[in-house]
Structure formats: structure tokens, C-alpha cells
């Protein structure tokens, strides 16, 4: 039951983008097309889960026993950067079109505060490894869900007659705010 609560909470109630405001740069930047948003979500899923596993193991096996907890942030950033490089190389070989579509936003996963935030949150919440992986997977699914919904809405907005002052980023920010309020409706579910 605890894992179901973690899943529902991380995906809907405490959505990493819409409730905690982490990962806003790729949320706004990659959400022009649903296909690109889905690709970015997949990359974030892979990096977030893998980074959480590796950083959890580093924290519990090296940093905590040696009293080096103050190196948490820098070691996590190094792990995330290495994983993003690995994803970038894989995407370049496996899916060059997705690699091109993600463009500059793929390296930005390295500095995506959502990934670093989740890695730090699992330690702060004192989760075990399985709970950490569940939380990371659910958080990345919530990130992907928000990204895809937002991309679909933006595709529809591009077809509409939007006032000149609101075209582009302003209407995107208004839409993101409304989407965040919609997700607030899940508050109290868990």
C-alpha cells in the first residue's frame, strides 16, 4: 500500500513540475510537440531512475559511512552529468531524429533540477532503495505526463487566434499555471 501512495503522490498530488516547480526549463522549452515531449520524458525517466539508484548507493555506501555527507550535491551532479552523457550517446546512435529534436535540451537534463531534486528528496525522506526507485519512477512519469499534456495543449493553442501580446511564452506560462491548478485538484487523494 505504501508504494501505491508513493506512486499516486509523486505522479499527481506532488507533481515534480506542477507542484514543486522543478524542471521548468525543459517543461517550457521542449513542450512544443507531443513527440518531442514524449522523447524528453523517456530520457528523463531513464536518467532519473538510474541517477536515483546510483546516488542512493553512493550516499548509503560511501558518503554516510565516511562522514562525507557534505559532498552530496557535488557527487550527485557528477553522477547525473555522466548519465546524461551516456543517454546522449545512446540517442545519437539509436534515434538521431529524437536526438535532433531534443537539441540543446538534452544536455540541459544534466542541470535539470528535477533529477537532482528527486535524488536529494529520497535521502531526505529516508526511503529505502525500492521506495527510492518507486519515487523516482513515479516522479519522472509525473514529469512526462505534465510535459505531454502541456505539449498537446500548446499544439492546440498554435492553431488558435491568440492576442499578439500573449503569443509564445506568455500564453505558455498562463497555460502552465492553469494546468498546475488542475493538478491541485488531486490534493487530498492521498
Amino acid at each position: 500500500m505504501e508504494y501505491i501512495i508513493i506512486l499516486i503522490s509523486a505522479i499527481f498530488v506532488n507533481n515534480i513540475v506542477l507542484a514543486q516547480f522543478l524542471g521548468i526549463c525543459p517543461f517550457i522549452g521542449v513542450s512544443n510537440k507531443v513527440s518531442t515531449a514524449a522523447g524528453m520524458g523517456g530520457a528523463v525517466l531513464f536518467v532519473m531512475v538510474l541517477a536515483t539508484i546510483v546516488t542512493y548507493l553512493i550516499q548509503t555506501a560511501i558518503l554516510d559511512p565516511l562522514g562525507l555527507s557534505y559532498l552530496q550535491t557535488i557527487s550527485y551532479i557528477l553522477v547525473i552529468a555522466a548519465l546524461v552523457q551516456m543517454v546522449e550517446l545512446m540517442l545519437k546512435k539509436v534515434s538521431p531524429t529524437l536526438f535532433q529534436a531534443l537539441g540543446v535540451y538534452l544536455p540541459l537534463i544534466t542541470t535539470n533540477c528535477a533529477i537532482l531534486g528527486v535524488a536529494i528528496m529520497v535521502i531526505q525522506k529516508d526511503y529505502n532503495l525500492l521506495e527510492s526507485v518507486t519515487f523516482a519512477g513515479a516522479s519522472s512519469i509525473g514529469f512526462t505526463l505534465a510535459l505531454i499534456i502541456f505539449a498537446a495543449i500548446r499544439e492546440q493553442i498554435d492553431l488558435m487566434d491568440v492576442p499578439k501580446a500573449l503569443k509564445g511564452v506568455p500564453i505558455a506560462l498562463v497555460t502552465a499555471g492553469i494546468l498546475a491548478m488542475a493538478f491541485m485538484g488531486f490534493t487530498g487523494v492521498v
Side-chain angles (χ1 to χ4, degrees), residues 21-91:
F21 307 111
L22 297 173
I24 297 295
C25 181
F27 179 70
I28 297 294
V30 184
S31 59
N32 292 328
K33 293 173 62 179
V34 173
S35 59
T36 308
M40 179 62 138
V44 167
L45 172 72
F46 179 76
V47 171
M48 191 177 288
V49 170
L50 206 55
T52 300
I53 293 169
V54 173
T55 56
Y56 179 87
L57 294 174
I58 288 172
Q59 183 75 34
T60 56
I62 299 170
L63 298 179
D64 287 345
L66 297 176
L68 300 173
S69 295
Y70 61 91
L71 293 174
Q72 179 187 53
T73 304
I74 192 72
S75 61
Y76 286 16
I77 289 171
L78 291 172
V79 167
I80 292 167
L83 290 172
V84 169
Q85 287 300 311
M86 189 174 72
V87 169
E88 199 169 349
L89 290 171
M90 283 178 23
L91 275 180

Side-chain angles (χ1 to χ4, degrees), residues 46-162:
F46 179 76
V47 171
M48 191 177 288
V49 170
L50 206 55
T52 300
I53 293 169
V54 173
T55 56
Y56 179 87
L57 294 174
I58 288 172
Q59 183 75 34
T60 56
I62 299 170
L63 298 179
D64 287 345
L66 297 176
L68 300 173
S69 295
Y70 61 91
L71 293 174
Q72 179 187 53
T73 304
I74 192 72
S75 61
Y76 286 16
I77 289 171
L78 291 172
V79 167
I80 292 167
L83 290 172
V84 169
Q85 287 300 311
M86 189 174 72
V87 169
E88 199 169 349
L89 290 171
M90 283 178 23
L91 275 180
K92 204 175 211 179
K93 290 195 183 271
V94 174
S95 179
T97 55
L98 180 58
F99 177 77
Q100 288 285 38
L102 290 175
V104 71
Y105 294 101
L106 188 59
L108 283 178
I109 293 176
T110 304
T111 58
N112 186 344
C113 55
I115 294 172
L116 181 61
V118 166
I120 291 173
M121 276 189 259
V122 298
I123 300 301
Q124 288 175 344
K125 292 179 185 230
D126 201 29
Y127 285 155
N128 62 35
L129 184 59
L130 191 55
E131 290 169 336
S132 298
V133 170
T134 303
F135 181 75
S139 293
S140 60
I141 290 169
F143 178 87
T144 304
L145 177 67
L147 199 63
I148 290 173
I149 290 171
F150 191 56
I153 292 170
R154 285 185 75 179
E155 283 182 358
Q156 291 299 312
I157 288 174
D158 287 345
L159 301 174
M160 302 175 111
D161 187 26
V162 177

